[in-house]
Amino acid sequence: MTWIDRRAGWLVAALVVVSAGVRFAFAVDAELPWIAPDEFLYALAGESLWEQGTLSVRGLEAPYTSLLTPAIVGAPLALFDVDAGIVAAQAVQSLVMASAAIPVFLWARQLAAPRWALAAAALTLLVPGMAYGGMLMTEAAFYPLTIAALLAGARLLDEPTVVRQGLFFAFVTAACAVRMQALLLVPVLVVAVVLHAVVTRSGRTVRALAPIGAAALVVAILVAAATALTGSASLGERLLGAYQPVLETSTSLAGVIGSIAAHGVGLALLCVVLPLVGTVVLVVEIGRGREHGAAAAYAAIASAFLGLLVLQVGAFAAQNVGYLSQRYLLTAAPVLFVGFAAWLERGAPRPRLVVALTAGLVVGGAVLVPIGDVVPNTGAQDALWTTWLRDLAIDSSQAARAVLVVVAAGVLLVLLVPRAVRPWATTGVVAVALLALSIDATRTVISESEAQQEAMIGSEAPAWLPALGEPAVLLATGDHPSRAIARTFFWNPEIASVVRFEEADVNVPPSPPVVRVNDDGLLRGLDGSVLAAPYVLSPSTVSLAGEIVAQRLDPAAQTPGWRLWRAEQPPRITTRVVGTLPNGDFGPELTAYVPGCRPGALEITFLGKTGDPIGVTVDGIPWGTVEVPSETAASARIPPPPYADGGHTCVFNFATEGYVGTTRIQFVPDGE
């Protein structure tokens, strides 16, 4: 027995602690919450869970997304202020996700010596997806719980006792409480039982699990019948969460098949190819040798899980995301590392036909899969394994594809080294590659989260609203992207609710009510009710009757500023400006809407940029031209039409062939 064999347990514990510490140390440099709406909803729901006992968002109804993740990240947020709570949640999440090394080691230890089981555990902690552990995401808990459930399933196949059945379903239940994707584990077990019977040439496990299988079938039939009889998708939505659309996909069959094939290739990307090759060789050997015990159980449940996971995520991605969904394949990596460890234990055999076919499929997939699917231009959160390729893919998709193919082929060449050194050589290549990918992904997460935070709300402190004593309502007009609204709402608990114009995209909080502006300027819901709110937070492009209590006009932000109004009751909009950049510049057109228009004037200050004249119309009627030479300023007072009597919305339009700056746009009634 080697030193590693004797101290394997302590080494696994050390791996978990060190990994969690390192990931946490880098994670605190990121600006969280970052991924919208996920992180915001989990954090806000968790806060409500601990403070009010409901999965609501500041008392507002929200659809179910997860139970355990809000519970984990919400506890620190309920105990500390927002900044300290996020840091504490990152520490907890990092440790929870790092704990995945424990079931991986225990599983691999049934198939390999401690050194290779430790290697599998270490590789599990090196994947770029471990960056999710430093965020407020479901992946942190889903990663270890799914692997624990699969380990319990493998042990159940090997010895189908009642206790092991209970343990498997306990882990499945816990994983479902994190993310409903874990419902996949039930059909995985069914398929694995069949595969296990084929591999072992024995029906013992099938007979032992027949009662529970029959019960599961009855439940499935009852659920399907209930869904059909109710005539709605509500039950399916509650059961499947975000995966419910898979059952009602409108994507073509060819599109779904292509997406599934792409996600099959994605398995190679997740583990840097070699563990996939090793696992395929292992499973084929186990099947040919009619092996029993832990090896047969692994081959059955790993094959079932990897196959059904690719089908599930591929179908889901075809309908909902349109690219290789790396984060939803994340749990495949540890399963492949366990198989990799068992393959290493057997001396890393290299049967020519199996290796050639597997390698051919991997390289062929790298050639055929659209590079935009592998390297989506949607942000690092969706493609942590390919952040290193993104810039090249933007410049030249063909060059990025060539690099991907060359790298895949180069990694496969390691299989040609002599068998005596092949286990160490392949392990080293995979470990170094995963480490490099993780470093790049972590750097990208930090830089992107910082850049997005500044672009959405500026460089100043995100929490800026003063204590009010009464709740404020945020008015979303469509001037801010949903991510800016999510950040403003999250960081400022003084905002109790959100209302939105129909064109505004808002997902935090979910499904806020729609309001419309009447010609008198009052904000009314779709049912005709008038908005009642003592304080209204509006974009800087909107003015209300009342007093400005606070404002945030951060020049670093790439979105309009905010103004907090102590509004006259009921709240009434006096001016809305459309067409300006966040700094007030416009071109070729700017429009100012003045509800409840009455005698007075629209006062506007122009800053000359290109020096082009500005044509002005009021309600489509030409008013005149304003000349603003370059690098000068000019003010204008444009009166409303004579028929403005307070029950009409005046539309002031400014058009130029160049671009012009503005600093003040405000309608001032006569006598004010």
Side-chain angles (χ1 to χ4, degrees):
M1 180 177 289
T2 66
W3 179 86
I4 292 178
D5 295 339
R6 292 193 300 271
R7 292 170 174 79
W10 289 104
L11 291 174
V12 173
L15 279 175
V16 170
V17 173
V18 170
S19 173
V22 171
R23 294 287 181 178
F24 171 70
F26 285 103
V28 293
D29 289 335
E31 293 289 349
L32 297 187
W34 171 44
I35 301 177
D38 306 50
E39 287 187 283
F40 297 89
L41 293 178
Y42 298 142
L44 291 166
E47 201 172 21
S48 294
L49 179 64
W50 286 99
E51 293 178 350
Q52 303 169 15
T54 64
L55 286 170
S56 60
V57 175
R58 291 194 188 146
L60 305 173
E61 186 176 349
Y64 175 79
T65 53
S66 175
L67 174 60
L68 281 185
T69 293
I72 293 170
V73 304
L77 289 169
L79 288 172
F80 310 111
D81 61 39
V82 179
D83 285 304
I86 288 176
V87 172
Q90 287 177 294
V92 174
Q93 287 274 90
S94 297
L95 185 60
V96 169
M97 194 164 190
S99 68
I102 298 172
V104 169
F105 173 81
L106 294 175
W107 197 357
R109 187 65 189 88
Q110 297 176 6
L111 304 166
R115 61 180 180 276
W116 301 126
L118 279 170
L123 295 177
T124 298
L125 301 178
L126 285 177
V127 296
M130 285 293 295
Y132 292 120
M135 305 179 200
L136 312 180
M137 296 290 287
T138 55
E139 279 74 12
F142 194 68
Y143 195 52
L145 284 174
T146 300
I147 303 309
L150 290 169
L151 169 58
R155 291 174 60 81
L156 171 59
L157 293 176
D158 191 28
E159 190 63 44
T161 64
V162 173
V163 172
R164 292 188 177 186
Q165 292 177 35
L167 190 61
F168 170 76
F169 284 104
F171 278 120
V172 170
T173 302
C176 286
V178 176
R179 197 157 79 199
M180 295 308 291
Q181 183 188 6
L183 281 173
L184 179 73
L185 293 169
V186 177
V188 162
L189 180 64
V190 174
V191 175
V193 168
V194 175
L195 293 177
H196 187 262
V198 172
V199 170
T200 60
R201 309 298 193 272
S202 170
R204 181 176 66 93
T205 304
V206 175
R207 290 191 296 272
L209 296 179
I212 197 169
L217 180 61
V218 170
V219 171
I221 292 172
L222 291 175
V223 169
T227 303
L229 291 173
T230 57
S232 71
S234 59
L235 182 58
E237 289 170 355
R238 288 195 296 269
L239 286 173
L240 298 179
Y243 281 82
Q244 196 263 346
V246 171
L247 301 180
E248 48 191 42
T249 178
S250 59
T251 306
S252 67
L253 180 60
V256 173
I257 292 173
S259 178
I260 291 171
H263 283 78
V265 176
L267 294 179
L269 175 67
L270 243 64
C271 65
V272 193
V273 183
L274 296 176
L276 176 63
V277 175
T279 299
V280 171
V281 171
L282 174 74
V283 170
V284 171
E285 275 196 358
I286 292 172
R288 284 177 176 173
R290 300 184 181 182
E291 297 184 31
H292 292 72
Y298 170 81
I301 203 161
S303 300
F305 177 69
L306 295 174
L308 291 182
L309 181 68
V310 167
L311 288 173
Q312 180 202 47
V313 179
F316 171 79
Q319 173 73 359
N320 295 279
V321 298
Y323 51 80
L324 179 60
S325 187
Q326 299 176 17
R327 57 181 284 210
Y328 288 110
L329 285 178
L330 173 63
T331 49
V335 178
L336 292 169
F337 295 144
V338 171
F340 186 52
W343 176 71
L344 295 172
E345 174 67 21
R346 297 179 181 217
R350 193 188 61 202
R352 291 182 181 178
L353 181 59
V354 176
V355 170
L357 287 174
T358 307
L361 288 173
V362 169
V363 175
V367 171
L368 296 175
V369 173
I371 198 67
D373 289 359
V374 181
V375 194
N377 189 25
T378 57
Q381 73 275 8
D382 294 320
L384 291 175
W385 275 260
T386 50
T387 54
W388 60 283
L389 257 184
R390 192 171 52 180
D391 290 342
L392 181 59
I394 293 172
D395 293 337
S396 170
S397 60
Q398 294 302 319
R401 183 190 304 282
V403 169
L404 192 64
V405 171
V406 169
V407 170
V411 169
L412 286 166
L413 288 176
V414 180
L415 293 171
L416 299 178
V417 302
R419 184 163 183 171
V421 298
R422 194 180 305 148
W424 296 104
T426 52
T427 304
V429 167
V430 174
V432 170
L434 287 175
L435 179 60
L437 293 175
S438 286
I439 291 172
D440 189 78
T442 301
R443 288 174 176 171
T444 305
V445 166
I446 293 170
S447 63
E448 277 199 13
S449 65
E450 290 175 344
Q452 190 177 111
Q453 178 92 331
E454 182 170 308
M456 293 297 103
I457 60 175
S459 57
E460 298 176 8
W464 61 278
L465 286 181
L468 301 174
E470 294 181 276
V473 173
L474 185 151
L475 174 63
T477 62
D479 294 290
H480 290 89
S482 60
R483 291 174 294 181
I485 295 169
R487 283 168 168 76
T488 302
F489 181 82
F490 175 84
W491 284 101
N492 295 278
E494 294 79 10
I495 304 172
S497 60
V498 174
V499 295
R500 68 180 180 92
F501 290 170
E502 288 180 283
E503 64 268 27
D505 179 21
V506 180
N507 48 33
V508 179
S511 305
V514 173
V515 294
R516 293 171 176 165
V517 184
N518 281 17
D519 279 337
D520 58 6
L522 295 180
L523 295 163
R524 295 181 182 271
L526 297 181
D527 60 357
S529 60
V530 177
L531 176 69
Y535 292 94
V536 177
L537 181 66
S538 75
S540 57
T541 54
V542 173
S543 297
L544 282 80
E547 173 191 2
I548 296 176
V549 177
Q551 62 181 347
R552 182 186 180 97
L553 306 172
D554 193 329
Q558 296 176 19
T559 60
W562 294 97
R563 289 195 174 104
L564 178 66
W565 299 83
R566 183 182 290 113
E568 294 181 5
Q569 296 303 305
R572 178 172 58 85
I573 288 180
T574 59
T575 312
R576 184 188 178 196
V577 178
V578 176
T580 62
L581 296 173
N583 64 358
D585 290 356
F586 76 92
E589 193 172 61
L590 175 152
T591 303
Y593 298 90
V594 181
C597 188
R598 49 188 167 148
L602 182 75
E603 297 183 354
I604 180 168
T605 300
F606 297 108
L607 302 176
K609 298 294 177 98
T610 60
D612 294 276
I614 306 163
V616 183
T617 64
V618 182
D619 285 357
I621 303 170
W623 177 83
T625 301
V626 178
E627 299 286 346
V628 189
S630 178
E631 299 184 2
T632 67
S635 296
R637 298 184 80 252
I638 295 91
Y643 50 78
D645 59 1
H648 166 70
T649 297
C650 293
V651 181
F652 297 80
N653 184 266
F654 305 86
T656 180
E657 293 184 358
Y659 68 97
V660 184
T662 62
T663 59
R664 179 176 182 268
I665 307 174
Q666 180 72 48
F667 186 82
V668 181
D670 284 346
E672 294 186 11

